[in-house]
Amino acid sequence: MTGNRQAAADTDVVHAEAREILGPSTGPVAAASLTHNPKNGVTAGVWAVSAGDRTAVLKVLTRTKNATGRWAASDDPRHWNYWLREADVYDSGLAQSWQPYGIRAPRLLARVQRADGDVALWLEHVRGEPGTGWPRARHIEHARRLGAAQGAASVPHEPWFTRRFLRQYVGSNTLGEELLDDDEAWQQPLVRDHFPAGLRHEMVRLHHDREWFLDVMEALPRVFSHLDQWPANVRSQGPDSVLFDWAFAGDGALGEDLGNYLPDSVFDLFVPAGDLPGYAARAYDAYLHGLRSSGSRVDERLVRLGMCASVVKYDWLTAAMLARAGEVQRDYGGERAVSAELRYRERGLALGFLAGWAAEARALAPQLGFPEAPGGR
């Protein structure tokens, strides 16, 4: 067997589980580590496991991994990084609740409670095209399906649901906050040369208005939300979108998932920032069409507000980029270096676009009975 973190935690344990779940095989059991966030304290590892001609994905959930700060695992079922949530999502059946609308999770093959307290999720190995390589039209179709699913489904209430996700997540990201008002930080070459003019003013204002944005998001219509939708967490499998990593799932605002999916497409260099205005417009129209097709009659302005005000999730990003401008820039998972100039240019342009969402939210909210933002529109 090959892999990392002590060969998928324990070679004999994984071998025995694979034989039990995938069936007896004359071939060897092998495991290859899959890209994931290695900093997250709830994830011991993710592997593609094969036994002969049969394969599965093994994801091991833990609360004993040495992780500090915002990525530490939590025992609180309402915390955004509750260690056992993904297993609960699969057990409840909610991971497949969007399947009638063309979005599903990988099939759960088995949940194994290990003697060391960890939980092993054995999942279907989905081999379709990853969202990171989708043509734009496929992303637009995914947005339509998401709208249809969230417009049709009732909002369940589970004790392990993430609650007030944005407030917890944004509040846990404090790296570089003191640099937002630091002239020298904004004069670092990567920042000075690649962030658009006026971005400093807009991002500092977003930070100062953070509580207002969070209050708005928490008062909007609620939907069952994945809360980590981005192209790296989805694949196509036949006609379906297969959505992975349900660890944050729970209570979210209408439009919030879409508001995460679109900018994350650019922040991790899957979609060019120059395409974001047209891409976002088409995806929003598709999401709204999906809502209407499933019978939702919610005020369209509330949908728009949910997507635009979700920009608050990225309040932390500007400060973090100021803090990391002198570091080697790496891709998701940290496996390879990426061009720092490209990353700062693309993210700077995307943040500039999101400043427009923030301005739209400030203008739209008072029309719907919300208080004005502290600095006005």
Side-chain angles (χ1 to χ4, degrees):
M1 170 175 259
T2 61
N4 60 16
R5 197 183 179 256
Q6 300 177 7
D10 185 301
T11 300
D12 292 337
V13 170
V14 174
H15 185 94
E17 289 176 359
R19 297 297 190 202
E20 177 70 23
I21 294 159
L22 299 179
S25 171
T26 57
V29 174
S33 182
L34 299 178
T35 300
H36 63 284
N37 178 5
K39 297 177 183 178
N40 197 330
V42 308
T43 309
V46 185
W47 298 267
V49 179
S50 62
D53 60 354
R54 291 178 290 278
T55 62
V57 169
L58 168 62
K59 183 170 187 177
V60 179
L61 310 181
T62 187
R63 54 181 165 182
T64 61
K65 181 177 175 179
N66 184 21
T68 59
R70 69 188 183 97
W71 289 114
S74 174
D75 288 320
D76 179 357
R78 299 300 176 92
H79 189 275
W80 70 273
N81 210 31
Y82 172 51
W83 79 280
L84 202 54
R85 181 174 294 110
E86 188 160 18
D88 290 337
V89 175
Y90 277 102
D91 283 347
S92 71
L94 284 173
Q96 304 297 355
S97 63
W98 291 347
Q99 187 163 4
Y101 310 97
I103 300 176
R104 68 175 180 88
R107 289 181 296 108
L108 177 66
L109 305 179
R111 169 181 173 165
V112 180
Q113 181 70 53
R114 291 185 169 174
D116 61 2
D118 288 354
V119 171
L121 298 180
W122 287 82
L123 303 166
E124 168 193 6
H125 190 193
V126 178
R127 299 180 179 275
E129 178 71 19
T132 55
W134 280 359
R136 205 76 73 250
R138 190 67 179 80
H139 292 295
I140 306 304
E141 171 60 15
H142 180 76
R144 185 198 65 77
R145 295 177 181 194
L146 177 61
Q150 293 186 326
S154 59
V155 184
H157 297 281
E158 298 287 350
W160 41 261
F161 260 24
T162 298
R163 304 285 180 183
R164 307 178 89 188
F165 169 76
L166 283 176
R167 188 174 297 275
Q168 293 186 53
Y169 180 85
V170 175
S172 70
N173 285 272
T174 59
L175 177 65
E177 282 187 351
E178 73 284 357
L179 300 178
L180 287 170
D181 294 313
D182 185 319
D183 292 341
E184 290 186 8
W186 287 92
Q187 285 303 309
Q188 296 175 96
L190 274 178
V191 177
R192 180 194 64 220
D193 297 342
H194 298 291
F195 278 12
L199 185 64
R200 177 178 180 176
H201 171 78
E202 295 299 334
M203 292 299 102
V204 169
R205 185 180 180 192
L206 175 64
H207 184 67
H208 289 164
D209 288 350
R210 183 166 77 180
E211 287 299 313
W212 179 85
F213 277 95
L214 291 172
D215 288 344
V216 168
M217 289 299 291
E218 290 170 2
L220 286 168
R222 316 318 293 166
V223 291
F224 173 54
S225 300
H226 180 274
L227 297 173
D228 195 20
Q229 292 214 35
W230 63 306
N233 272 346
V234 66
R235 283 179 177 262
S236 58
Q237 181 75 12
D240 292 332
S241 293
V242 183
L243 190 57
F244 302 89
D245 201 355
W246 293 78
F248 302 161
D251 173 78
L254 189 63
E256 183 175 342
D257 271 342
L258 183 66
N260 186 88
Y261 190 93
L262 298 174
D264 267 11
S265 301
V266 175
F267 287 145
D268 285 279
L269 305 176
F270 305 133
V271 173
D275 293 352
L276 184 53
Y279 168 47
R282 291 179 60 201
Y284 174 75
D285 287 345
Y287 181 80
L288 189 62
H289 178 74
L291 283 172
R292 297 295 184 238
S293 70
S294 64
S296 173
R297 294 296 175 260
V298 67
D299 187 331
E300 188 269 338
R301 295 175 298 171
L302 290 170
V303 183
R304 186 74 189 179
L305 181 59
M307 182 184 74
C308 290
S310 71
V311 67
V312 71
K313 182 181 180 183
Y314 300 103
D315 167 52
W316 66 275
L317 183 57
T318 306
M321 292 182 72
L322 294 174
R324 292 172 173 158
E327 300 176 5
V328 173
Q329 303 296 308
R330 296 195 172 276
D331 64 353
Y332 176 72
E335 295 179 357
R336 64 183 179 90
V338 298
S339 164
E341 290 78 10
L342 176 63
R343 167 164 283 172
Y344 274 70
R345 185 186 75 237
E346 292 293 286
R347 288 188 172 183
L349 290 171
L351 287 168
F353 174 81
L354 293 183
W357 272 9
E360 188 174 346
R362 292 188 188 99
L364 189 56
Q367 300 175 25
L368 294 162
F370 293 90
E372 281 202 354
R377 302 183 190 184

